[in-house]
Amino acid sequence: MKKTISASLKIVMAMLFFLPTTHAVGSDALPTQYGIDQMQGKMQFSPYAGRSYPTRPLFGDTHLHTAISVDAGTMNRLGQEEAFRFARGEEVTSQGGLRAKLSRPLDWLVISDHAEMYGLMPQLLAGDPDILATEQGKRWYDMLKTGDKETMFDAAMEVVASLQQPDPPFESGDIVRDAWRDYTALADKYNEPGRFTAVIGYEYTTRGGFNLHRNILFRGDAAEANRTVPFSQFDSQNPEDLWKALDEFEKQTGADVLAIPHNGNLSNGLMFSVEDYSGAPLSPELAALRASLEPVIEATQIKGDGEAHPFLSPDDEFADYETWDDANLDGTEVKKPEMLQYEYARSALKTGLALEKKLGVNPFKFGMIGSTDAHTSLAAVEEDNFFGKHSGVEPEPHRWEHVVIASPKDPDLTTYGWQQASGGYAAVWATENTREAIFDAFARKEVYATTGSRMLVRFFGGWEFAEEDAMNRLPAEIGYSKGVPMGGDLRGAPEGKSAPTFLVAALKDSYSGNLDRIQIIKGWLDSGGETQEKVYDVVWSGDRMPGADGKLPPVGNTVDVKNATWTNNIGTPELIGVWTDPDFDPSESAFYYCRVLEIPTPRWTAYEAKRFGIEMSDEVPMVTQERAYTSPIWYTPGK
């Protein structure tokens, strides 16, 4: 049943809906529905006392590169310290000389510089004599010191090409170790529990353009992270070897680490394959190892959105969002339709159900986050404050038509500035702003992706949610007491309960558009062993009603493209509702996740056209509809 809260409600009052406390306090036991319990024989009054569940949505980025990365460092001179300062809300100067600042600080950040030749580029640009003594080193140095953007871009392409070789072009073991320790020390310096968290991490990158990259996150501090050095493609091209190395590191040290696969939309069918790296069928042991080390995946970022694809989901009117589907990452292999099912999050979640039936374990039982993959040191992906993929496409009048990624084989596969998506961020539901609490949120998958907006989203599944639960101003209290949060598994149905129920709630980003609707996407494995999916509109703004085809009419569009403005006189600041699966079959395994849509707002290209007084070509989109994707909740028969 549809339930919409009036748009006239005050946003300040609505914040109580999601953020009643700043940290967890008291006993581990959950309070009763109204926060009143018996403690030491006394009736307790405060509904916020004694709570131990996560009450804080913390926004951050797991995927940011600085001058330490060998590719980013060819054009970007901003280092890791500038990246931390910017994420904390300070103003810095970009590589292009522009003053840069976020609208609001982030809560946490992972600087995930590339493991390959980690820290080499600053050494090269400083004129290290050992590097300059090599022909390759002297050539790059001369090109990069010209200051000419095109020459520097050419150098960047040469650097990237050098990573296609089995061995590094320079001996860089000592450089990597020293740069890694400098970084971990800096992360400890900027880590301020309760205010800002600097999570230690790096990126493992494979050769070729198939984007099988992973960001590696550590739960602990520098002392823990320094017990290893970044595992790189020069150690192995096989991500399975990365998993084994991380597993061994955990066993030997007692440390906790996890890996986050990149957006799979550029992997040309490899990211969520049902085969291992050698082409053999996936084994139960390897599937279990992947599931244990990769609890979440990156579903959206600057290089396009990876939640769903219109070819795979033709009945989903919102599946074609910031789609990059022409080729692999570097444009060396054209995309084929049969590759798509192994690239997108929704189809991978469905594949996981089928594999679990076959192997006894689900390797794709993951949550979803967004992150930037910016190579500018700036985690800046607000539509009106977008600094681009790399420093060659920072804001200036013609960046919309500049090359972002050049194809060495076919100019038609080259990616241009306007195709960049201004996204995304990762939101975690944590008990406090610390490394441990944030890491634990990833581990239990109580996280969600946004395309750049900082909307707040709650999602709970159970068997006993009722319509009146949507009237409660503390939905988390109801959610945790009656069910499980995003990332969880539905417990067995109580006697007399024939279908699961879900409590969904969302609150707008105060800097962005009102909310259009909340949808629940269901995927399941039918009795014939085939995977299915369906999108349900659960709660929405206004007095719209689904048509004869079951589709909800569009919310409307108030965007003034010429002036890059919009009005919030459509949509609503918040949505909450309870939904029961009308098609539930207790014998079929299933997953459910939420997609929250904002009303249309100006895309970054519209802001750019307005600011610089330019006209872009007709192919350039000027309007966007920001969204969030929660981690799923799973149902497994017999569990």
PDB file of all heavy atoms in Angstrom, residues 140-173:
ATOM      1  N   TRP A 140      60.117  10.121 -20.010  1.00  0.00           N
ATOM      2  CA  TRP A 140      58.926  10.546 -19.281  1.00  0.00           C
ATOM      3  C   TRP A 140      59.184  11.866 -18.546  1.00  0.00           C
ATOM      4  O   TRP A 140      58.327  12.745 -18.522  1.00  0.00           O
ATOM      5  CB  TRP A 140      58.511   9.464 -18.281  1.00  0.00           C
ATOM      6  CG  TRP A 140      57.909   8.250 -18.923  1.00  0.00           C
ATOM      7  CD1 TRP A 140      57.601   8.075 -20.243  1.00  0.00           C
ATOM      8  CD2 TRP A 140      57.557   7.038 -18.266  1.00  0.00           C
ATOM      9  NE1 TRP A 140      57.082   6.834 -20.454  1.00  0.00           N
ATOM     10  CE2 TRP A 140      57.025   6.167 -19.262  1.00  0.00           C
ATOM     11  CE3 TRP A 140      57.622   6.584 -16.960  1.00  0.00           C
ATOM     12  CZ2 TRP A 140      56.583   4.884 -18.964  1.00  0.00           C
ATOM     13  CZ3 TRP A 140      57.180   5.314 -16.647  1.00  0.00           C
ATOM     14  CH2 TRP A 140      56.666   4.466 -17.647  1.00  0.00           C
ATOM     15  N   TYR A 141      60.339  11.972 -17.941  1.00  0.00           N
ATOM     16  CA  TYR A 141      60.671  13.187 -17.194  1.00  0.00           C
ATOM     17  C   TYR A 141      60.615  14.406 -18.115  1.00  0.00           C
ATOM     18  O   TYR A 141      60.009  15.431 -17.772  1.00  0.00           O
ATOM     19  CB  TYR A 141      62.065  13.033 -16.576  1.00  0.00           C
ATOM     20  CG  TYR A 141      62.536  14.250 -15.804  1.00  0.00           C
ATOM     21  CD1 TYR A 141      62.171  14.428 -14.473  1.00  0.00           C
ATOM     22  CD2 TYR A 141      63.361  15.203 -16.407  1.00  0.00           C
ATOM     23  CE1 TYR A 141      62.607  15.540 -13.762  1.00  0.00           C
ATOM     24  CE2 TYR A 141      63.809  16.313 -15.703  1.00  0.00           C
ATOM     25  CZ  TYR A 141      63.419  16.473 -14.391  1.00  0.00           C
ATOM     26  OH  TYR A 141      63.860  17.582 -13.682  1.00  0.00           O
ATOM     27  N   ASP A 142      61.226  14.296 -19.269  1.00  0.00           N
ATOM     28  CA  ASP A 142      61.246  15.425 -20.204  1.00  0.00           C
ATOM     29  C   ASP A 142      59.841  15.780 -20.682  1.00  0.00           C
ATOM     30  O   ASP A 142      59.493  16.965 -20.804  1.00  0.00           O
ATOM     31  CB  ASP A 142      62.143  15.107 -21.409  1.00  0.00           C
ATOM     32  CG  ASP A 142      63.616  15.054 -21.048  1.00  0.00           C
ATOM     33  OD1 ASP A 142      63.990  15.611 -19.983  1.00  0.00           O
ATOM     34  OD2 ASP A 142      64.391  14.445 -21.814  1.00  0.00           O
ATOM     35  N   MET A 143      59.027  14.767 -20.959  1.00  0.00           N
ATOM     36  CA  MET A 143      57.656  15.024 -21.425  1.00  0.00           C
ATOM     37  C   MET A 143      56.815  15.682 -20.334  1.00  0.00           C
ATOM     38  O   MET A 143      56.060  16.641 -20.591  1.00  0.00           O
ATOM     39  CB  MET A 143      56.997  13.716 -21.877  1.00  0.00           C
ATOM     40  CG  MET A 143      57.625  13.073 -23.098  1.00  0.00           C
ATOM     41  SD  MET A 143      56.878  11.468 -23.521  1.00  0.00           S
ATOM     42  CE  MET A 143      55.286  11.982 -24.160  1.00  0.00           C
ATOM     43  N   LEU A 144      56.938  15.179 -19.115  1.00  0.00           N
ATOM     44  CA  LEU A 144      56.100  15.675 -18.033  1.00  0.00           C
ATOM     45  C   LEU A 144      56.522  17.046 -17.531  1.00  0.00           C
ATOM     46  O   LEU A 144      55.708  17.784 -16.953  1.00  0.00           O
ATOM     47  CB  LEU A 144      56.099  14.673 -16.873  1.00  0.00           C
ATOM     48  CG  LEU A 144      55.450  13.325 -17.185  1.00  0.00           C
ATOM     49  CD1 LEU A 144      55.689  12.334 -16.060  1.00  0.00           C
ATOM     50  CD2 LEU A 144      53.948  13.488 -17.424  1.00  0.00           C
ATOM     51  N   LYS A 145      57.759  17.413 -17.755  1.00  0.00           N
ATOM     52  CA  LYS A 145      58.244  18.716 -17.302  1.00  0.00           C
ATOM     53  C   LYS A 145      57.935  19.834 -18.292  1.00  0.00           C
ATOM     54  O   LYS A 145      58.187  21.008 -17.993  1.00  0.00           O
ATOM     55  CB  LYS A 145      59.753  18.644 -17.054  1.00  0.00           C
ATOM     56  CG  LYS A 145      60.151  17.941 -15.756  1.00  0.00           C
ATOM     57  CD  LYS A 145      59.670  18.723 -14.542  1.00  0.00           C
ATOM     58  CE  LYS A 145      60.178  18.127 -13.249  1.00  0.00           C
ATOM     59  NZ  LYS A 145      59.773  18.907 -12.062  1.00  0.00           N
ATOM     60  N   THR A 146      57.379  19.488 -19.456  1.00  0.00           N
ATOM     61  CA  THR A 146      57.073  20.539 -20.436  1.00  0.00           C
ATOM     62  C   THR A 146      55.945  21.451 -19.964  1.00  0.00           C
ATOM     63  O   THR A 146      55.892  22.633 -20.332  1.00  0.00           O
ATOM     64  CB  THR A 146      56.651  19.927 -21.786  1.00  0.00           C
ATOM     65  OG1 THR A 146      55.429  19.189 -21.605  1.00  0.00           O
ATOM     66  CG2 THR A 146      57.736  19.014 -22.338  1.00  0.00           C
ATOM     67  N   GLY A 147      55.018  20.897 -19.163  1.00  0.00           N
ATOM     68  CA  GLY A 147      53.859  21.667 -18.742  1.00  0.00           C
ATOM     69  C   GLY A 147      52.774  21.740 -19.800  1.00  0.00           C
ATOM     70  O   GLY A 147      51.699  22.284 -19.550  1.00  0.00           O
ATOM     71  N   ASP A 148      53.028  21.192 -20.979  1.00  0.00           N
ATOM     72  CA  ASP A 148      52.035  21.186 -22.058  1.00  0.00           C
ATOM     73  C   ASP A 148      51.044  20.055 -21.818  1.00  0.00           C
ATOM     74  O   ASP A 148      51.437  18.891 -21.664  1.00  0.00           O
ATOM     75  CB  ASP A 148      52.738  20.991 -23.405  1.00  0.00           C
ATOM     76  CG  ASP A 148      51.749  20.906 -24.558  1.00  0.00           C
ATOM     77  OD1 ASP A 148      51.174  21.939 -24.907  1.00  0.00           O
ATOM     78  OD2 ASP A 148      51.567  19.784 -25.089  1.00  0.00           O
ATOM     79  N   LYS A 149      49.759  20.390 -21.801  1.00  0.00           N
ATOM     80  CA  LYS A 149      48.734  19.411 -21.439  1.00  0.00           C
ATOM     81  C   LYS A 149      48.707  18.223 -22.399  1.00  0.00           C
ATOM     82  O   LYS A 149      48.582  17.065 -21.972  1.00  0.00           O
ATOM     83  CB  LYS A 149      47.365  20.088 -21.379  1.00  0.00           C
ATOM     84  CG  LYS A 149      46.252  19.160 -20.894  1.00  0.00           C
ATOM     85  CD  LYS A 149      44.924  19.877 -20.778  1.00  0.00           C
ATOM     86  CE  LYS A 149      44.917  20.834 -19.611  1.00  0.00           C
ATOM     87  NZ  LYS A 149      43.543  21.376 -19.344  1.00  0.00           N
ATOM     88  N   GLU A 150      48.829  18.487 -23.698  1.00  0.00           N
ATOM     89  CA  GLU A 150      48.783  17.386 -24.667  1.00  0.00           C
ATOM     90  C   GLU A 150      49.993  16.478 -24.522  1.00  0.00           C
ATOM     91  O   GLU A 150      49.880  15.254 -24.603  1.00  0.00           O
ATOM     92  CB  GLU A 150      48.693  17.951 -26.087  1.00  0.00           C
ATOM     93  CG  GLU A 150      47.348  18.589 -26.409  1.00  0.00           C
ATOM     94  CD  GLU A 150      47.217  18.924 -27.895  1.00  0.00           C
ATOM     95  OE1 GLU A 150      48.068  18.478 -28.683  1.00  0.00           O
ATOM     96  OE2 GLU A 150      46.255  19.626 -28.249  1.00  0.00           O
ATOM     97  N   THR A 151      51.165  17.065 -24.299  1.00  0.00           N
ATOM     98  CA  THR A 151      52.373  16.257 -24.120  1.00  0.00           C
ATOM     99  C   THR A 151      52.274  15.427 -22.850  1.00  0.00           C
ATOM    100  O   THR A 151      52.663  14.247 -22.827  1.00  0.00           O
ATOM    101  CB  THR A 151      53.613  17.151 -24.070  1.00  0.00           C
ATOM    102  OG1 THR A 151      53.682  17.935 -25.264  1.00  0.00           O
ATOM    103  CG2 THR A 151      54.880  16.319 -23.949  1.00  0.00           C
ATOM    104  N   MET A 152      51.741  16.035 -21.806  1.00  0.00           N
ATOM    105  CA  MET A 152      51.573  15.305 -20.549  1.00  0.00           C
ATOM    106  C   MET A 152      50.559  14.177 -20.706  1.00  0.00           C
ATOM    107  O   MET A 152      50.738  13.093 -20.141  1.00  0.00           O
ATOM    108  CB  MET A 152      51.147  16.274 -19.448  1.00  0.00           C
ATOM    109  CG  MET A 152      52.222  17.299 -19.079  1.00  0.00           C
ATOM    110  SD  MET A 152      51.609  18.602 -18.000  1.00  0.00           S
ATOM    111  CE  MET A 152      51.317  17.698 -16.499  1.00  0.00           C
ATOM    112  N   PHE A 153      49.510  14.414 -21.496  1.00  0.00           N
ATOM    113  CA  PHE A 153      48.531  13.362 -21.743  1.00  0.00           C
ATOM    114  C   PHE A 153      49.171  12.207 -22.507  1.00  0.00           C
ATOM    115  O   PHE A 153      48.925  11.027 -22.206  1.00  0.00           O
ATOM    116  CB  PHE A 153      47.340  13.926 -22.513  1.00  0.00           C
ATOM    117  CG  PHE A 153      46.221  12.938 -22.715  1.00  0.00           C
ATOM    118  CD1 PHE A 153      45.328  12.672 -21.692  1.00  0.00           C
ATOM    119  CD2 PHE A 153      46.067  12.263 -23.919  1.00  0.00           C
ATOM    120  CE1 PHE A 153      44.291  11.752 -21.873  1.00  0.00           C
ATOM    121  CE2 PHE A 153      45.042  11.348 -24.104  1.00  0.00           C
ATOM    122  CZ  PHE A 153      44.144  11.096 -23.072  1.00  0.00           C
ATOM    123  N   ASP A 154      50.017  12.540 -23.476  1.00  0.00           N
ATOM    124  CA  ASP A 154      50.735  11.494 -24.221  1.00  0.00           C
ATOM    125  C   ASP A 154      51.628  10.687 -23.281  1.00  0.00           C
ATOM    126  O   ASP A 154      51.727   9.458 -23.401  1.00  0.00           O
ATOM    127  CB  ASP A 154      51.570  12.113 -25.338  1.00  0.00           C
ATOM    128  CG  ASP A 154      50.715  12.676 -26.466  1.00  0.00           C
ATOM    129  OD1 ASP A 154      49.539  12.278 -26.577  1.00  0.00           O
ATOM    130  OD2 ASP A 154      51.230  13.523 -27.226  1.00  0.00           O
ATOM    131  N   ALA A 155      52.276  11.383 -22.364  1.00  0.00           N
ATOM    132  CA  ALA A 155      53.118  10.683 -21.386  1.00  0.00           C
ATOM    133  C   ALA A 155      52.277   9.765 -20.514  1.00  0.00           C
ATOM    134  O   ALA A 155      52.682   8.630 -20.202  1.00  0.00           O
ATOM    135  CB  ALA A 155      53.871  11.691 -20.528  1.00  0.00           C
ATOM    136  N   ALA A 156      51.102  10.254 -20.127  1.00  0.00           N
ATOM    137  CA  ALA A 156      50.212   9.428 -19.313  1.00  0.00           C
ATOM    138  C   ALA A 156      49.828   8.153 -20.048  1.00  0.00           C
ATOM    139  O   ALA A 156      49.782   7.064 -19.461  1.00  0.00           O
ATOM    140  CB  ALA A 156      48.965  10.229 -18.934  1.00  0.00           C
ATOM    141  N   MET A 157      49.555   8.271 -21.364  1.00  0.00           N
ATOM    142  CA  MET A 157      49.200   7.089 -22.145  1.00  0.00           C
ATOM    143  C   MET A 157      50.382   6.111 -22.221  1.00  0.00           C
ATOM    144  O   MET A 157      50.200   4.893 -22.200  1.00  0.00           O
ATOM    145  CB  MET A 157      48.760   7.506 -23.546  1.00  0.00           C
ATOM    146  CG  MET A 157      47.457   8.297 -23.600  1.00  0.00           C
ATOM    147  SD  MET A 157      46.017   7.384 -22.943  1.00  0.00           S
ATOM    148  CE  MET A 157      45.901   8.079 -21.266  1.00  0.00           C
ATOM    149  N   GLU A 158      51.603   6.650 -22.296  1.00  0.00           N
ATOM    150  CA  GLU A 158      52.787   5.775 -22.310  1.00  0.00           C
ATOM    151  C   GLU A 158      52.953   5.067 -20.977  1.00  0.00           C
ATOM    152  O   GLU A 158      53.325   3.881 -20.926  1.00  0.00           O
ATOM    153  CB  GLU A 158      54.037   6.595 -22.639  1.00  0.00           C
ATOM    154  CG  GLU A 158      54.150   7.021 -24.092  1.00  0.00           C
ATOM    155  CD  GLU A 158      55.539   7.544 -24.430  1.00  0.00           C
ATOM    156  OE1 GLU A 158      56.494   7.246 -23.667  1.00  0.00           O
ATOM    157  OE2 GLU A 158      55.675   8.223 -25.466  1.00  0.00           O
ATOM    158  N   VAL A 159      52.694   5.791 -19.892  1.00  0.00           N
ATOM    159  CA  VAL A 159      52.803   5.177 -18.574  1.00  0.00           C
ATOM    160  C   VAL A 159      51.795   4.041 -18.436  1.00  0.00           C
ATOM    161  O   VAL A 159      52.127   2.943 -17.979  1.00  0.00           O
ATOM    162  CB  VAL A 159      52.579   6.228 -17.468  1.00  0.00           C
ATOM    163  CG1 VAL A 159      52.444   5.561 -16.105  1.00  0.00           C
ATOM    164  CG2 VAL A 159      53.729   7.229 -17.447  1.00  0.00           C
ATOM    165  N   VAL A 160      50.554   4.295 -18.844  1.00  0.00           N
ATOM    166  CA  VAL A 160      49.521   3.253 -18.775  1.00  0.00           C
ATOM    167  C   VAL A 160      49.911   2.068 -19.651  1.00  0.00           C
ATOM    168  O   VAL A 160      49.741   0.908 -19.263  1.00  0.00           O
ATOM    169  CB  VAL A 160      48.161   3.831 -19.196  1.00  0.00           C
ATOM    170  CG1 VAL A 160      47.124   2.721 -19.332  1.00  0.00           C
ATOM    171  CG2 VAL A 160      47.687   4.875 -18.190  1.00  0.00           C
ATOM    172  N   ALA A 161      50.462   2.352 -20.838  1.00  0.00           N
ATOM    173  CA  ALA A 161      50.873   1.267 -21.736  1.00  0.00           C
ATOM    174  C   ALA A 161      51.982   0.423 -21.105  1.00  0.00           C
ATOM    175  O   ALA A 161      52.050  -0.796 -21.322  1.00  0.00           O
ATOM    176  CB  ALA A 161      51.340   1.838 -23.069  1.00  0.00           C
ATOM    177  N   SER A 162      52.856   1.069 -20.323  1.00  0.00           N
ATOM    178  CA  SER A 162      53.956   0.320 -19.690  1.00  0.00           C
ATOM    179  C   SER A 162      53.438  -0.698 -18.691  1.00  0.00           C
ATOM    180  O   SER A 162      54.121  -1.690 -18.388  1.00  0.00           O
ATOM    181  CB  SER A 162      54.915   1.288 -18.991  1.00  0.00           C
ATOM    182  OG  SER A 162      54.363   1.778 -17.786  1.00  0.00           O
ATOM    183  N   LEU A 163      52.230  -0.469 -18.180  1.00  0.00           N
ATOM    184  CA  LEU A 163      51.662  -1.398 -17.219  1.00  0.00           C
ATOM    185  C   LEU A 163      51.116  -2.656 -17.884  1.00  0.00           C
ATOM    186  O   LEU A 163      50.623  -3.558 -17.204  1.00  0.00           O
ATOM    187  CB  LEU A 163      50.541  -0.702 -16.431  1.00  0.00           C
ATOM    188  CG  LEU A 163      50.991   0.496 -15.576  1.00  0.00           C
ATOM    189  CD1 LEU A 163      49.797   1.147 -14.902  1.00  0.00           C
ATOM    190  CD2 LEU A 163      52.025   0.081 -14.549  1.00  0.00           C
ATOM    191  N   GLN A 164      51.174  -2.707 -19.204  1.00  0.00           N
ATOM    192  CA  GLN A 164      50.750  -3.915 -19.922  1.00  0.00           C
ATOM    193  C   GLN A 164      51.886  -4.939 -20.007  1.00  0.00           C
ATOM    194  O   GLN A 164      51.700  -6.026 -20.533  1.00  0.00           O
ATOM    195  CB  GLN A 164      50.276  -3.564 -21.339  1.00  0.00           C
ATOM    196  CG  GLN A 164      49.232  -2.453 -21.391  1.00  0.00           C
ATOM    197  CD  GLN A 164      48.065  -2.687 -20.440  1.00  0.00           C
ATOM    198  OE1 GLN A 164      47.483  -3.759 -20.423  1.00  0.00           O
ATOM    199  NE2 GLN A 164      47.743  -1.679 -19.651  1.00  0.00           N
ATOM    200  N   GLN A 165      53.066  -4.568 -19.512  1.00  0.00           N
ATOM    201  CA  GLN A 165      54.214  -5.470 -19.545  1.00  0.00           C
ATOM    202  C   GLN A 165      54.255  -6.334 -18.290  1.00  0.00           C
ATOM    203  O   GLN A 165      53.754  -5.935 -17.233  1.00  0.00           O
ATOM    204  CB  GLN A 165      55.514  -4.661 -19.673  1.00  0.00           C
ATOM    205  CG  GLN A 165      55.533  -3.721 -20.867  1.00  0.00           C
ATOM    206  CD  GLN A 165      55.287  -4.444 -22.171  1.00  0.00           C
ATOM    207  OE1 GLN A 165      55.864  -5.499 -22.431  1.00  0.00           O
ATOM    208  NE2 GLN A 165      54.416  -3.875 -23.006  1.00  0.00           N
ATOM    209  N   PRO A 166      54.857  -7.514 -18.361  1.00  0.00           N
ATOM    210  CA  PRO A 166      54.871  -8.403 -17.193  1.00  0.00           C
ATOM    211  C   PRO A 166      55.756  -7.913 -16.059  1.00  0.00           C
ATOM    212  O   PRO A 166      55.575  -8.330 -14.918  1.00  0.00           O
ATOM    213  CB  PRO A 166      55.392  -9.728 -17.770  1.00  0.00           C
ATOM    214  CG  PRO A 166      56.140  -9.344 -19.003  1.00  0.00           C
ATOM    215  CD  PRO A 166      55.440  -8.153 -19.564  1.00  0.00           C
ATOM    216  N   ASP A 167      56.711  -7.036 -16.359  1.00  0.00           N
ATOM    217  CA  ASP A 167      57.623  -6.537 -15.333  1.00  0.00           C
ATOM    218  C   ASP A 167      57.595  -5.013 -15.316  1.00  0.00           C
ATOM    219  O   ASP A 167      57.383  -4.372 -16.350  1.00  0.00           O
ATOM    220  CB  ASP A 167      59.054  -7.010 -15.598  1.00  0.00           C
ATOM    221  CG  ASP A 167      59.171  -8.521 -15.563  1.00  0.00           C
ATOM    222  OD1 ASP A 167      58.751  -9.112 -14.545  1.00  0.00           O
ATOM    223  OD2 ASP A 167      59.651  -9.102 -16.550  1.00  0.00           O
ATOM    224  N   PRO A 168      57.841  -4.395 -14.158  1.00  0.00           N
ATOM    225  CA  PRO A 168      57.853  -2.931 -14.085  1.00  0.00           C
ATOM    226  C   PRO A 168      59.027  -2.363 -14.866  1.00  0.00           C
ATOM    227  O   PRO A 168      60.084  -3.000 -14.970  1.00  0.00           O
ATOM    228  CB  PRO A 168      57.972  -2.651 -12.588  1.00  0.00           C
ATOM    229  CG  PRO A 168      58.603  -3.877 -12.017  1.00  0.00           C
ATOM    230  CD  PRO A 168      58.104  -5.017 -12.847  1.00  0.00           C
ATOM    231  N   PRO A 169      58.860  -1.160 -15.439  1.00  0.00           N
ATOM    232  CA  PRO A 169      59.952  -0.559 -16.216  1.00  0.00           C
ATOM    233  C   PRO A 169      61.126  -0.110 -15.361  1.00  0.00           C
ATOM    234  O   PRO A 169      62.211   0.134 -15.880  1.00  0.00           O
ATOM    235  CB  PRO A 169      59.272   0.627 -16.910  1.00  0.00           C
ATOM    236  CG  PRO A 169      58.116   0.954 -16.044  1.00  0.00           C
ATOM    237  CD  PRO A 169      57.651  -0.337 -15.468  1.00  0.00           C
ATOM    238  N   PHE A 170      60.919   0.007 -14.055  1.00  0.00           N
ATOM    239  CA  PHE A 170      61.983   0.416 -13.139  1.00  0.00           C
ATOM    240  C   PHE A 170      61.962  -0.482 -11.911  1.00  0.00           C
ATOM    241  O   PHE A 170      60.921  -1.012 -11.531  1.00  0.00           O
ATOM    242  CB  PHE A 170      61.802   1.868 -12.677  1.00  0.00           C
ATOM    243  CG  PHE A 170      61.538   2.848 -13.784  1.00  0.00           C
ATOM    244  CD1 PHE A 170      60.272   3.343 -14.001  1.00  0.00           C
ATOM    245  CD2 PHE A 170      62.566   3.271 -14.614  1.00  0.00           C
ATOM    246  CE1 PHE A 170      60.011   4.227 -15.020  1.00  0.00           C
ATOM    247  CE2 PHE A 170      62.327   4.159 -15.632  1.00  0.00           C
ATOM    248  CZ  PHE A 170      61.044   4.645 -15.843  1.00  0.00           C
ATOM    249  N   GLU A 171      63.094  -0.626 -11.290  1.00  0.00           N
ATOM    250  CA  GLU A 171      63.170  -1.313 -10.005  1.00  0.00           C
ATOM    251  C   GLU A 171      62.585  -0.382  -8.942  1.00  0.00           C
ATOM    252  O   GLU A 171      63.117   0.691  -8.671  1.00  0.00           O
ATOM    253  CB  GLU A 171      64.622  -1.663  -9.670  1.00  0.00           C
ATOM    254  CG  GLU A 171      64.800  -2.333  -8.320  1.00  0.00           C
ATOM    255  CD  GLU A 171      63.941  -3.582  -8.177  1.00  0.00           C
ATOM    256  OE1 GLU A 171      63.938  -4.415  -9.101  1.00  0.00           O
ATOM    257  OE2 GLU A 171      63.253  -3.698  -7.145  1.00  0.00           O
ATOM    258  N   SER A 172      61.457  -0.780  -8.353  1.00  0.00           N
ATOM    259  CA  SER A 172      60.745   0.160  -7.487  1.00  0.00           C
ATOM    260  C   SER A 172      60.366  -0.419  -6.129  1.00  0.00           C
ATOM    261  O   SER A 172      59.540   0.152  -5.415  1.00  0.00           O
ATOM    262  CB  SER A 172      59.478   0.644  -8.200  1.00  0.00           C
ATOM    263  OG  SER A 172      58.660  -0.459  -8.583  1.00  0.00           O
ATOM    264  N   GLY A 173      60.984  -1.537  -5.736  1.00  0.00           N
ATOM    265  CA  GLY A 173      60.625  -2.168  -4.467  1.00  0.00           C
ATOM    266  C   GLY A 173      60.818  -1.267  -3.267  1.00  0.00           C
ATOM    267  O   GLY A 173      59.924  -1.134  -2.419  1.00  0.00           O
TER     268      GLY A 173
END
